[in-house]
Amino acid sequence: MSNVKAAATVLTEYGHRSTLHGLSHMFQSGDLWRKAFWLVLTFAASGACVYHIYATVSNYLESPITSIYRDEGPQALFPGVTICNLKPVSEALLHAEEEKAALFHHLDQVWNFFDNWLFGLRSRKHSETRVEYKERQRELLKTYTDIFWVSDDTREFGLSDRHTLLMCLYKNKHCNASNFKLVQHHRYWNCYTFQPLDGDRTIDNSDQDSGLRLILFTDSNFDSNRLDDSVNYLRSMTREDEITNPYSLRTYLGRGNRTLNQVLTGNKWEAEGLRIFIHNESQFPTTSDIAFDVSSGASTTIEVNTKQVNTLNRPPSHVCNAEEPETISYVRYFGPNVTGLRSYRLTQPEAVMEAQQKMIFDKCGCYTHLLPFKFNTSLLCLYADPQHRIHPSMEFMQRLACHTNSFKLAEQKTSELLQQKDEYKPCTSWKLQATKVQVPWPRSDELIDFVNYVFMPSYIAELQNEDQVMHLLKSRNSRAEAIIRHLFNPDCRKENGTDAPLVDSWCISRAKLKANVAQIWIKPASTHAGVYMEEYSYDWPEALSEVGGIFGLWMGISLLSVMEFIELLCILMSVCTSRDAGKRSSNVGSAAASRNRMPQDFEAILRYLASLEDEEMREPVRQLQYQRQQPQQQQQPQQQQQLNSARAAREPSGRLGLQLVP
């Protein structure tokens, strides 16, 4: 019980001397109504303070990060640019009888046109509609060509940098085919990535002379009667023919004037022209999510805006890598005993693809060609040994089935793998944004000059310097010769040996020329990159100031108030745990006890002084005793004055040296 009284005494003393304004006013007020007023006000302020703190914390938890964007940041760098043809195989070669015969001879001698591959899947099922059958058939033929691409050297069939590039200007300086590096891809076969010879990717300006300007031969369309030939062939096939005697790759290509490009696109109906990938220089090109289709017969402007993104590493909600990313080498091109590698940054997308490749390898013992790979093609699931290309081995067929199922499973795991590979996401990265504007090109009044000064000079030089690099095709004709030959107007006739209009003078078909050329300008939007930064909504000084301001506004609490409260807790713990509660109670509450004993001690002193014989001392004492009978608030100033007078009068005689404290 004594501990409780001691604690109550300590709390009372704390209330009187507390720096919390509401609490001190509540304890020091003599009027009950004033006490009630300060009690209500203190509780109301406490509630408002708690709500303010709650609102501030909730706002911080909703958006603990503040995003800042500045238009002007570090100097921007020219991005990586990769050019792919939407038609993987050169149309010029496929329409040249000699080259087409050479291709068919190779497919026949080496692969037997895949007649012994997956024969049971070629027949039409009784329950299938014609559309369903055609879709499944195109996917099957696409599998044949994928096996062909993985196992054989197909570089000669695809896009050629020397024959595609008609004009190149980078930063208003001439560039050439040596600035473009081959990157093979299962969908586009041959792609080319632009690389400045001196590695200079700085952007000096963003005017008309900036960026990369290209005039390209798209090698897309030389057909006139293909649709009619194809329709006639399709009408000749009945339902019974498709069930009992389905056609193979041999009949698919040999009839209806079809080409490999119709097989390679599968069930995707895409435009004629080029696909331009805009990516970071250290990123594998075809993994970029910025890609534009550029139509033939058009001039296209692609404006690229660069942004530096700086994010905070906030595990576990957001994890990023503040260190320099590691590198990984991927195969850029391949052929018999030839493999070209290049190093790229190992970031989150690359880490996910590596995990997917590992999943497929663990399941099938081989890697997929549908993702970037870093091994020789002999380790790919669709690679067929030369001795097993006419009659596939059982081991290969098992790998093929395993690859199909495992790749689908790996694709389904993409979202899960992205979450697992957060640590590969760099804290500082470069993001690209691009827009495209496309208009018809070239103008009709410029066709003659375009042929005279751009198109023909490029191919005449190629005809003179053609090195006849052939990997599979052993024809005597060059690619340049095949291209020009197919652009000729078959009705071309020179008249009297004089210069005539375009179609007569150069024997170039106006329609075919427009269907196979494109102009591209890739320009930077600004010389400097924008900067996106993440910062914590509160750092420690700001958080302390915010919380301190809230407590000071509503309750008048400062750091000293906190220390007082800590002192109170220490005293209460000491009092409550003490065994000698009465003694400790008297020590802790000495100030309050002294105020209670003050009147009795003062009266005893006055009686003592009144008993003295000294008249000079007794008269002031009598006056003090009289004044003690007056109200307390009137007598205290006079009492102090009289006692001081009595002390002054007594001290010179040396009789009494007391200091009276009222």
Side-chain angles (χ1 to χ4, degrees), residues 321-482:
N321 181 19
E323 304 294 332
E324 184 68 20
E326 302 176 5
T327 59
I328 184 171
S329 296
Y330 284 134
V331 173
R332 288 197 303 113
Y333 63 89
F334 56 88
N337 303 320
V338 176
T339 301
L341 299 174
R342 188 188 168 187
S343 296
Y344 301 92
R345 295 177 65 185
L346 180 59
T347 58
Q348 187 185 33
E350 286 76 15
V352 170
M353 290 186 294
E354 283 299 293
Q356 291 174 328
Q357 287 280 28
K358 186 177 183 304
M359 290 174 58
I360 296 173
F361 182 82
D362 292 342
K363 186 72 174 178
C364 306
C366 54
Y367 300 96
T368 180
H369 67 289
L370 302 175
L371 298 173
F373 52 90
K374 56 183 179 180
F375 307 99
N376 191 279
T377 54
S378 60
L379 294 177
L380 298 180
C381 295
L382 267 64
Y383 178 81
D385 294 330
Q387 61 271 25
H388 295 125
R389 292 182 179 178
I390 293 181
H391 297 280
S393 64
M394 184 61 65
E395 178 187 359
F396 178 87
M397 301 307 294
Q398 292 174 352
R399 289 206 316 268
L400 178 61
C402 179
H403 169 267
T404 302
N405 297 328
S406 299
F407 182 75
K408 291 181 180 179
L409 180 61
E411 279 191 317
Q412 295 173 1
K413 295 284 187 179
T414 300
S415 299
E416 180 181 341
L417 291 173
L418 282 172
Q419 297 178 358
Q420 296 176 3
K421 302 299 179 180
D422 271 347
E423 68 271 14
Y424 288 94
K425 186 185 302 181
C427 295
T428 300
S429 60
W430 295 87
K431 300 297 183 182
L432 302 174
Q433 295 176 335
T435 57
K436 183 188 81 167
V437 177
Q438 187 167 278
V439 296
W441 178 89
R443 298 199 320 245
S444 298
D445 59 342
E446 288 186 340
L447 278 174
I448 293 179
D449 289 340
F450 174 72
V451 172
N452 289 343
Y453 304 124
V454 177
F455 186 81
M456 289 304 297
S458 300
Y459 284 99
I460 290 174
E462 285 298 328
L463 286 172
Q464 294 173 350
N465 302 317
E466 191 74 54
D467 53 9
Q468 298 275 347
V469 178
M470 295 291 173
H471 302 296
L472 292 181
L473 296 178
K474 305 301 181 182
S475 70
R476 294 169 297 165
N477 299 323
S478 67
R479 175 78 69 90
E481 183 179 351

Side-chain angles (χ1 to χ4, degrees), residues 12-214:
T12 303
E13 179 67 17
Y14 175 75
H16 279 87
R17 62 180 178 84
S18 175
T19 57
L20 297 178
H21 305 308
L23 189 63
S24 60
H25 280 291
M26 187 169 55
F27 274 89
Q28 294 176 8
S29 298
D31 189 358
L32 182 62
W33 288 104
R34 290 180 60 193
K35 286 181 179 291
F37 169 77
W38 283 107
L39 177 64
V40 173
L41 189 61
T42 300
F43 275 103
S46 300
C49 180
V50 171
Y51 177 78
H52 197 164
I53 292 290
Y54 170 77
T56 302
V57 173
S58 298
N59 184 44
Y60 171 76
L61 294 177
E62 289 178 0
S63 56
I65 301 300
T66 300
S67 300
I68 302 174
Y69 182 78
R70 298 200 312 267
D71 291 332
E72 294 293 329
Q75 186 177 31
L77 298 178
F78 191 75
V81 177
T82 298
I83 303 169
C84 303
N85 201 320
L86 290 172
K87 289 186 173 181
V89 181
S90 169
E91 287 285 320
L93 292 179
L94 292 178
H95 283 73
E97 292 301 327
E98 189 173 350
E99 284 77 11
K100 183 177 180 180
L103 170 62
F104 277 35
H105 178 75
H106 178 80
L107 289 174
D108 186 26
Q109 295 297 316
V110 177
W111 297 93
N112 193 29
F113 274 100
F114 294 90
D115 286 346
N116 301 317
W117 292 69
L118 304 171
F119 179 81
L121 298 179
R122 296 210 303 264
S123 300
R124 178 178 175 181
K125 300 177 182 179
H126 291 277
S127 59
E128 281 183 320
T129 64
R130 188 177 185 85
V131 174
E132 293 172 342
Y133 171 61
K134 290 300 179 182
E135 289 181 352
R136 187 171 60 83
Q137 184 189 54
R138 288 172 70 97
E139 289 297 325
L140 177 61
L141 297 180
K142 177 66 168 61
T143 302
Y144 292 161
T145 54
D146 281 351
I147 297 172
F148 173 54
W149 179 78
V150 170
S151 306
D152 246 330
D153 190 349
T154 59
R155 286 174 288 171
E156 184 64 28
F157 290 104
L159 187 70
S160 169
D161 54 346
R162 293 178 303 156
H163 305 98
T164 298
L165 192 63
L166 300 179
M167 189 202 75
C168 177
L169 288 176
Y170 175 63
K171 298 172 70 171
N172 207 29
K173 296 180 181 179
H174 285 281
C175 45
N176 51 46
S178 61
N179 293 96
F180 292 84
K181 306 302 179 183
L182 174 64
V183 178
Q184 289 185 279
H185 187 268
H186 70 94
R187 166 61 185 84
Y188 312 104
W189 284 25
N190 289 358
C191 299
Y192 291 91
T193 299
F194 173 75
Q195 292 183 352
L197 287 179
D198 54 0
D200 181 17
R201 293 186 176 272
T202 58
I203 299 175
D204 302 326
N205 54 69
S206 57
D207 57 14
Q208 296 295 318
D209 296 331
S210 65
L212 178 65
R213 288 181 176 271
L214 302 170

